Amino acid sequence: MKKSRFSEEQIIAVLREQEARMKTADVCRKHRISSATLYAWKSKYGGMDVSQARKLKVLEEENARLKRLLADTMLDNAVLKEVAFKKLVRPAARRRAVEEARQRFGISERRACSIFAVDRTSVRYAPRRGDDGDLRSRLREIASERRRFGYRRLGIMLAREGIVMNHKKLLRLYREENLRVRRRRGRKRAMGTRAPMTLPQGPNQRWSLDFVSDTLINGRRIRILAIVDDFTRECLALVVDTPLSGARVARELDAIIATRGKPLMVVSDNGTELTSLAILRWTQDRRLDWHYIAPGKPQQNGYVESFNGRLRDECLNETLFVSLRHARSVLRLWHDDYNDVRPHSGIGGLTPADAAKRVVPPRPDGHDTNPGLQL
């Protein structure tokens, strides 16, 4: 608004001259104003003294200030409703909100930053890091081969190739590439306190057995016998067939013992094949301690149950078996990959084969009778 060259005192004095019977034309000529200006002054300040005119000016300025504040508040609310309709947590989201507010409402950067409580240096920040194109492509390649691996196991696979990075950067790239593993619906689990399982202190101290079922594409049912060393987490055998009797289980155990040695204990559930006369006779002949878990308590055989979960998630659910021969071929390859390539989080990211090689043998003087892993 253009400022007048007449003060309130001067305007009141001019109006007093016009009220003193002086002609309007003479008053306008004397003060070099138009008659329209004089009548505008008269409608606004007529009958007032100087103090009243000053109060009127103060009220007008306050009214204009309040109008501006109201307009600014309404505009800020409109920006917040249309642009920031959800929480702006990350700096990138705040930068996008500031830019969108400037384009849609035509406001300045300073005002947009004040609305969203963002520092202007944060808005003007230009990232200096590279796009890591080669690293991203390799991460996608490994994730496409290992679709059920999370970012930690993918990081171990990259580290084997000499690509080492901070776990936070790995997680960021993993999320930006949208490589999240889809969580499959699990079964309901029992609640309550449980006694911790006794841990084996060396290889061949305890083996775990369990059966896993699957079907071929023609609907024929197959069964898989899984045998695991609880200490090294090695998969000792994956036996695939349609019937698997107790005698067949005993023969497979004999084959493993011939190359690996006899275990101190074997743990299994109460399946008919594992409680058969053939198994009972075999344990008596081999003088082995065979422990059966409580009925309905698979958590007591947790090592092989965990292995079964990995087997089903990473192999059985990912493959359609054409025939029994095809199933044996695929499971043989997965068995070798599990023991020699796949990192296991329970043994510090090592493979079961590496964990078996790192077992500390007992000292010859007998001071260290319990072998252990050197991680």
Side-chain angles (χ1 to χ4, degrees), residues 272-288:
T272 56
E273 301 89 349
L274 304 177
T275 56
S276 62
L277 291 177
I279 292 296
L280 296 177
R281 189 179 303 110
W282 182 85
T283 55
Q284 279 186 336
D285 295 340
R286 302 299 184 276
R287 295 183 180 180
L288 282 178

Side-chain angles (χ1 to χ4, degrees), residues 110-349:
R110 186 186 300 274
R111 183 169 183 181
C113 290
S114 65
I115 292 174
F116 299 111
V118 183
D119 193 272
R120 295 175 68 190
T121 57
S122 176
V123 173
R124 296 179 179 181
Y125 171 76
R128 296 186 295 269
R129 64 190 179 200
D131 59 351
D132 298 312
D134 297 338
L135 177 58
R136 290 174 184 268
S137 61
R138 183 55 186 157
L139 184 62
R140 288 194 300 268
E141 289 176 4
I142 298 178
S144 63
E145 297 173 0
R146 311 276 182 169
R147 297 194 300 170
R148 305 304 300 175
F149 277 19
Y151 79 96
R152 291 187 180 87
R153 281 200 173 90
L154 293 178
I156 295 174
M157 302 295 288
L158 290 173
R160 292 178 181 175
E161 301 178 4
I163 306 174
V164 182
M165 73 193 78
N166 186 282
H167 72 279
K168 292 183 287 187
K169 178 179 180 180
L170 175 63
L171 178 59
R172 176 176 60 82
L173 297 178
Y174 180 82
R175 288 175 173 173
E176 290 177 358
E177 295 299 323
N178 195 23
L179 300 177
R180 183 175 62 89
V181 178
R182 182 176 62 85
R183 188 180 297 276
R184 292 191 172 104
R185 186 178 180 88
R187 60 179 177 84
K188 293 184 178 180
R189 300 185 182 273
M191 301 299 292
T193 59
R194 296 166 179 166
M197 179 180 293
T198 304
L199 299 177
Q201 300 300 315
N204 279 5
Q205 288 193 2
R206 188 174 67 201
W207 293 357
S208 297
L209 280 73
D210 199 10
F211 287 97
V212 183
S213 299
D214 202 12
T215 56
L216 305 178
I217 60 173
N218 58 6
R220 188 181 182 186
R221 189 178 182 84
I222 61 174
R223 303 196 71 194
I224 304 166
L225 171 64
I227 307 175
V228 178
D229 188 307
D230 292 351
F231 181 74
T232 63
R233 310 299 202 276
E234 291 177 277
C235 175
L236 304 181
L238 281 178
V239 183
V240 187
D241 215 327
T242 44
L244 280 172
S245 62
R248 175 68 181 279
V249 173
R251 289 200 304 271
E252 296 295 338
L253 289 173
D254 281 333
I256 300 173
I257 290 173
T259 58
R260 187 180 178 89
K262 189 169 64 173
L264 298 180
M265 177 186 292
V266 178
V267 182
S268 71
D269 57 16
N270 296 270
T272 56
E273 301 89 349
L274 304 177
T275 56
S276 62
L277 291 177
I279 292 296
L280 296 177
R281 189 179 303 110
W282 182 85
T283 55
Q284 279 186 336
D285 295 340
R286 302 299 184 276
R287 295 183 180 180
L288 282 178
D289 183 12
W290 193 295
H291 175 73
Y292 294 99
I293 64 175
K297 299 290 184 180
Q299 64 271 17
Q300 295 181 3
N301 201 10
Y303 288 102
V304 74
E305 292 291 343
S306 176
F307 173 81
N308 292 344
R310 304 285 74 76
L311 172 64
R312 186 168 297 280
D313 187 44
E314 298 175 12
C315 182
L316 302 184
N317 289 344
E318 298 290 315
T319 310
L320 290 176
F321 298 123
V322 179
S323 62
L324 191 60
R325 179 181 297 179
H326 178 228
R328 287 171 177 166
S329 174
V330 171
L331 287 171
R332 188 182 307 111
L333 294 176
W334 191 87
H335 167 271
D336 297 338
D337 180 83
Y338 179 87
N339 283 338
D340 300 326
V341 180
R342 182 188 186 277
H344 201 297
S345 58
I347 48 179

Side-chain angles (χ1 to χ4, degrees), residues 337-368:
D337 180 83
Y338 179 87
N339 283 338
D340 300 326
V341 180
R342 182 188 186 277
H344 201 297
S345 58
I347 48 179
L350 300 175
T351 64
D354 290 337
K357 294 176 183 177
R358 296 194 182 194
V359 173
V360 180
R363 292 171 53 180
D365 54 5
H367 287 82
D368 186 9

Side-chain angles (χ1 to χ4, degrees), residues 4-11 14 31-33 41:
S4 174
R5 59 189 177 94
F6 293 91
S7 64
E8 288 81 4
E9 294 87 347
Q10 293 173 337
I11 293 174
V14 171
H31 297 285
R32 297 179 181 179
I33 60 175
W41 287 352

